[in-house]
Amino acid sequence: NIAKENTFVHNSDLDFINLNNNQLSHLPANVFASQNKLAYLGLHYNQFESFEPNIFAPLENIKQFALYNNKLTEINSNWFSSSMPDFLYFYAQNNKIEAVDSRFFFVAPNLQWVLFSNNICINLYFENFNVNRTANLAKFNKCFDAFYNLTTTTTSIGTTTTTTFTTPMITTTSSIESTTTSPTTTTTYTGTTT
C-alpha cells in the first residue's frame, strides 16, 4: 500500500499523525511537505523498508517518531532535515536494522528515548540517551561501521569502480561531537578489454 502524495496538504495545523497498522510500504517524497507543526508521527506496524530522501525534513518540530515493527534495514540521516532540536523520542525497535548513519544523531542532538531493541546491528534501548551521549553513541559503532562500509559498485565494460566510506570517527571536544568520513576509491579491471 502507498499513501497518496496530497494526503495531508490541506491539514497543515496537524500536530499528531498516526498511520500505524496500514500495511504501508511506501510514502511519496513530499507527503509531509505541509507538516511543520507536527509533534508526533506514528508509522509503526507497517511494511516500510526505506524512505525517500528528505521525506521527514519538513517535520522541524517533531518530538516523537515511531518506526517500530517495520522492515527497515538502515536509519539514514538523508531522510531528515539538517536540524531537529525538538526530536526527543525515537522508536525503531523490531526492525531489521543492520546499519545506522551516525549523522542521524547530529540531526537529532537532543534525543532522550532511543529504542533500537531487536535489530540486527543493535539490541538496546536508552531512556536518557544524552546523559551519557558519547558512551551511548559508542554502542552504535557496529551499526555505524556497517553504514559507512556500504559499497557502491558501478560496472562498465570490464571495469568495476568501488567507493568505500571509511568508518566514522566520533570525537569529543568541549562537549561537542563531530563525525568525519573520508571516501576511498578503488578501480579493479576484470575480464578483457578490446
mmCIF file of all heavy atoms in Angstrom, residues 68-88:
data_model
loop_
_atom_site.group_PDB
_atom_site.id
_atom_site.type_symbol
_atom_site.label_atom_id
_atom_site.label_comp_id
_atom_site.label_asym_id
_atom_site.label_seq_id
_atom_site.Cartn_x
_atom_site.Cartn_y
_atom_site.Cartn_z
ATOM 1 N N TYR A 68 8.720 1.580 14.784
ATOM 2 C CA TYR A 68 8.928 0.196 15.196
ATOM 3 C C TYR A 68 8.021 -0.773 14.433
ATOM 4 O O TYR A 68 7.014 -0.407 13.860
ATOM 5 C CB TYR A 68 8.765 0.029 16.706
ATOM 6 C CG TYR A 68 7.443 0.454 17.297
ATOM 7 C CD1 TYR A 68 6.390 -0.449 17.423
ATOM 8 C CD2 TYR A 68 7.247 1.749 17.764
ATOM 9 C CE1 TYR A 68 5.187 -0.073 17.988
ATOM 10 C CE2 TYR A 68 6.052 2.134 18.326
ATOM 11 C CZ TYR A 68 5.014 1.215 18.439
ATOM 12 O OH TYR A 68 3.818 1.598 19.001
ATOM 13 N N ASN A 69 8.467 -2.034 14.408
ATOM 14 C CA ASN A 69 7.762 -3.124 13.745
ATOM 15 C C ASN A 69 7.508 -2.843 12.266
ATOM 16 O O ASN A 69 6.371 -2.896 11.788
ATOM 17 C CB ASN A 69 6.454 -3.455 14.479
ATOM 18 C CG ASN A 69 6.715 -4.092 15.822
ATOM 19 O OD1 ASN A 69 6.993 -3.386 16.777
ATOM 20 N ND2 ASN A 69 6.676 -5.403 15.896
ATOM 21 N N ASN A 70 8.591 -2.531 11.555
ATOM 22 C CA ASN A 70 8.584 -2.413 10.107
ATOM 23 C C ASN A 70 9.650 -3.367 9.569
ATOM 24 O O ASN A 70 10.032 -4.314 10.261
ATOM 25 C CB ASN A 70 8.860 -0.962 9.681
ATOM 26 C CG ASN A 70 7.604 -0.121 9.703
ATOM 27 O OD1 ASN A 70 6.745 -0.266 8.850
ATOM 28 N ND2 ASN A 70 7.505 0.767 10.685
ATOM 29 N N LYS A 71 10.150 -3.103 8.382
ATOM 30 C CA LYS A 71 11.188 -3.940 7.773
ATOM 31 C C LYS A 71 12.416 -3.096 7.420
ATOM 32 O O LYS A 71 13.140 -3.420 6.485
ATOM 33 C CB LYS A 71 10.644 -4.609 6.513
ATOM 34 C CG LYS A 71 9.502 -5.564 6.793
ATOM 35 C CD LYS A 71 8.977 -6.185 5.525
ATOM 36 C CE LYS A 71 7.875 -7.176 5.831
ATOM 37 N NZ LYS A 71 7.342 -7.789 4.607
ATOM 38 N N LEU A 72 12.652 -2.027 8.169
ATOM 39 C CA LEU A 72 13.773 -1.133 7.894
ATOM 40 C C LEU A 72 15.100 -1.865 8.065
ATOM 41 O O LEU A 72 15.283 -2.599 9.034
ATOM 42 C CB LEU A 72 13.731 0.074 8.820
ATOM 43 C CG LEU A 72 12.537 1.006 8.651
ATOM 44 C CD1 LEU A 72 12.499 2.025 9.777
ATOM 45 C CD2 LEU A 72 12.592 1.686 7.298
ATOM 46 N N THR A 73 16.028 -1.614 7.144
ATOM 47 C CA THR A 73 17.358 -2.215 7.245
ATOM 48 C C THR A 73 18.415 -1.182 7.615
ATOM 49 O O THR A 73 19.541 -1.543 7.931
ATOM 50 C CB THR A 73 17.763 -2.884 5.916
ATOM 51 O OG1 THR A 73 17.734 -1.904 4.883
ATOM 52 C CG2 THR A 73 16.835 -4.043 5.586
ATOM 53 N N GLU A 74 18.059 0.108 7.560
ATOM 54 C CA GLU A 74 19.001 1.169 7.928
ATOM 55 C C GLU A 74 18.241 2.379 8.446
ATOM 56 O O GLU A 74 17.049 2.525 8.214
ATOM 57 C CB GLU A 74 19.854 1.580 6.727
ATOM 58 C CG GLU A 74 19.090 2.327 5.658
ATOM 59 C CD GLU A 74 19.978 2.816 4.516
ATOM 60 O OE1 GLU A 74 21.147 2.428 4.430
ATOM 61 O OE2 GLU A 74 19.473 3.610 3.715
ATOM 62 N N ILE A 75 18.973 3.228 9.136
ATOM 63 C CA ILE A 75 18.491 4.556 9.503
ATOM 64 C C ILE A 75 19.436 5.524 8.813
ATOM 65 O O ILE A 75 20.638 5.516 9.067
ATOM 66 C CB ILE A 75 18.506 4.785 11.035
ATOM 67 C CG1 ILE A 75 17.587 3.775 11.735
ATOM 68 C CG2 ILE A 75 18.106 6.215 11.363
ATOM 69 C CD1 ILE A 75 16.121 3.868 11.362
ATOM 70 N N ASN A 76 18.882 6.352 7.935
ATOM 71 C CA ASN A 76 19.697 7.233 7.109
ATOM 72 C C ASN A 76 19.389 8.694 7.439
ATOM 73 O O ASN A 76 18.228 9.086 7.460
ATOM 74 C CB ASN A 76 19.409 6.958 5.626
ATOM 75 C CG ASN A 76 20.476 7.491 4.731
ATOM 76 O OD1 ASN A 76 20.969 8.594 4.919
ATOM 77 N ND2 ASN A 76 20.841 6.709 3.733
ATOM 78 N N SER A 77 20.414 9.481 7.665
ATOM 79 C CA SER A 77 20.207 10.894 8.005
ATOM 80 C C SER A 77 19.604 11.674 6.854
ATOM 81 O O SER A 77 18.994 12.717 7.078
ATOM 82 C CB SER A 77 21.531 11.543 8.432
ATOM 83 O OG SER A 77 22.415 11.634 7.341
ATOM 84 N N ASN A 78 19.725 11.192 5.622
ATOM 85 C CA ASN A 78 19.181 11.954 4.497
ATOM 86 C C ASN A 78 17.652 11.924 4.436
ATOM 87 O O ASN A 78 17.054 12.600 3.622
ATOM 88 C CB ASN A 78 19.807 11.531 3.164
ATOM 89 C CG ASN A 78 19.263 10.236 2.607
ATOM 90 O OD1 ASN A 78 18.421 9.569 3.188
ATOM 91 N ND2 ASN A 78 19.782 9.855 1.454
ATOM 92 N N TRP A 79 17.005 11.170 5.325
ATOM 93 C CA TRP A 79 15.544 11.198 5.413
ATOM 94 C C TRP A 79 15.066 12.443 6.148
ATOM 95 O O TRP A 79 13.906 12.825 6.040
ATOM 96 C CB TRP A 79 15.007 9.992 6.163
ATOM 97 C CG TRP A 79 15.354 8.652 5.602
ATOM 98 C CD1 TRP A 79 15.781 8.363 4.330
ATOM 99 C CD2 TRP A 79 15.313 7.412 6.291
ATOM 100 N NE1 TRP A 79 15.999 7.012 4.207
ATOM 101 C CE2 TRP A 79 15.718 6.404 5.391
ATOM 102 C CE3 TRP A 79 14.968 7.045 7.591
ATOM 103 C CZ2 TRP A 79 15.781 5.059 5.746
ATOM 104 C CZ3 TRP A 79 15.032 5.717 7.944
ATOM 105 C CH2 TRP A 79 15.430 4.730 7.022
ATOM 106 N N PHE A 80 15.942 13.053 6.932
ATOM 107 C CA PHE A 80 15.563 14.117 7.866
ATOM 108 C C PHE A 80 16.134 15.464 7.440
ATOM 109 O O PHE A 80 16.963 15.548 6.554
ATOM 110 C CB PHE A 80 16.064 13.768 9.272
ATOM 111 C CG PHE A 80 15.556 12.452 9.767
ATOM 112 C CD1 PHE A 80 16.283 11.281 9.543
ATOM 113 C CD2 PHE A 80 14.351 12.363 10.436
ATOM 114 C CE1 PHE A 80 15.811 10.054 9.983
ATOM 115 C CE2 PHE A 80 13.869 11.142 10.890
ATOM 116 C CZ PHE A 80 14.607 9.982 10.657
ATOM 117 N N SER A 81 15.707 16.523 8.147
ATOM 118 C CA SER A 81 16.283 17.843 7.888
ATOM 119 C C SER A 81 17.646 17.918 8.552
ATOM 120 O O SER A 81 18.056 17.011 9.272
ATOM 121 C CB SER A 81 15.369 18.948 8.427
ATOM 122 O OG SER A 81 15.480 19.053 9.820
ATOM 123 N N SER A 82 18.327 19.016 8.363
ATOM 124 C CA SER A 82 19.668 19.144 8.926
ATOM 125 C C SER A 82 19.657 19.341 10.439
ATOM 126 O O SER A 82 20.655 19.095 11.098
ATOM 127 C CB SER A 82 20.410 20.300 8.262
ATOM 128 O OG SER A 82 19.695 21.493 8.476
ATOM 129 N N SER A 83 18.531 19.792 10.987
ATOM 130 C CA SER A 83 18.469 20.001 12.432
ATOM 131 C C SER A 83 17.041 19.843 12.940
ATOM 132 O O SER A 83 16.126 20.484 12.444
ATOM 133 C CB SER A 83 18.985 21.391 12.790
ATOM 134 O OG SER A 83 18.902 21.584 14.178
ATOM 135 N N MET A 84 16.880 18.970 13.907
ATOM 136 C CA MET A 84 15.586 18.731 14.536
ATOM 137 C C MET A 84 15.780 18.773 16.054
ATOM 138 O O MET A 84 15.777 17.747 16.726
ATOM 139 C CB MET A 84 15.016 17.396 14.070
ATOM 140 C CG MET A 84 14.832 17.328 12.558
ATOM 141 S SD MET A 84 14.382 15.695 11.976
ATOM 142 C CE MET A 84 12.648 15.943 11.666
ATOM 143 N N PRO A 85 15.947 19.969 16.619
ATOM 144 C CA PRO A 85 16.297 20.090 18.027
ATOM 145 C C PRO A 85 15.217 19.633 19.006
ATOM 146 O O PRO A 85 15.525 19.301 20.149
ATOM 147 C CB PRO A 85 16.588 21.580 18.201
ATOM 148 C CG PRO A 85 15.866 22.241 17.089
ATOM 149 C CD PRO A 85 15.852 21.261 15.955
ATOM 150 N N ASP A 86 13.955 19.578 18.582
ATOM 151 C CA ASP A 86 12.871 19.147 19.479
ATOM 152 C C ASP A 86 12.641 17.642 19.455
ATOM 153 O O ASP A 86 11.813 17.123 20.195
ATOM 154 C CB ASP A 86 11.568 19.864 19.103
ATOM 155 C CG ASP A 86 11.660 21.363 19.308
ATOM 156 O OD1 ASP A 86 12.414 21.801 20.192
ATOM 157 O OD2 ASP A 86 10.971 22.096 18.572
ATOM 158 N N PHE A 87 13.352 16.931 18.603
ATOM 159 C CA PHE A 87 13.193 15.491 18.435
ATOM 160 C C PHE A 87 13.729 14.793 19.685
ATOM 161 O O PHE A 87 14.930 14.751 19.922
ATOM 162 C CB PHE A 87 13.968 15.080 17.185
ATOM 163 C CG PHE A 87 13.692 13.715 16.639
ATOM 164 C CD1 PHE A 87 14.285 13.334 15.452
ATOM 165 C CD2 PHE A 87 12.864 12.802 17.271
ATOM 166 C CE1 PHE A 87 14.062 12.081 14.900
ATOM 167 C CE2 PHE A 87 12.624 11.552 16.742
ATOM 168 C CZ PHE A 87 13.230 11.193 15.548
ATOM 169 N N LEU A 88 12.835 14.198 20.503
ATOM 170 C CA LEU A 88 13.226 13.625 21.787
ATOM 171 C C LEU A 88 13.061 12.108 21.872
ATOM 172 O O LEU A 88 13.786 11.449 22.604
ATOM 173 C CB LEU A 88 12.423 14.267 22.922
ATOM 174 C CG LEU A 88 12.566 15.776 23.088
ATOM 175 C CD1 LEU A 88 11.614 16.280 24.160
ATOM 176 C CD2 LEU A 88 13.995 16.143 23.417
#
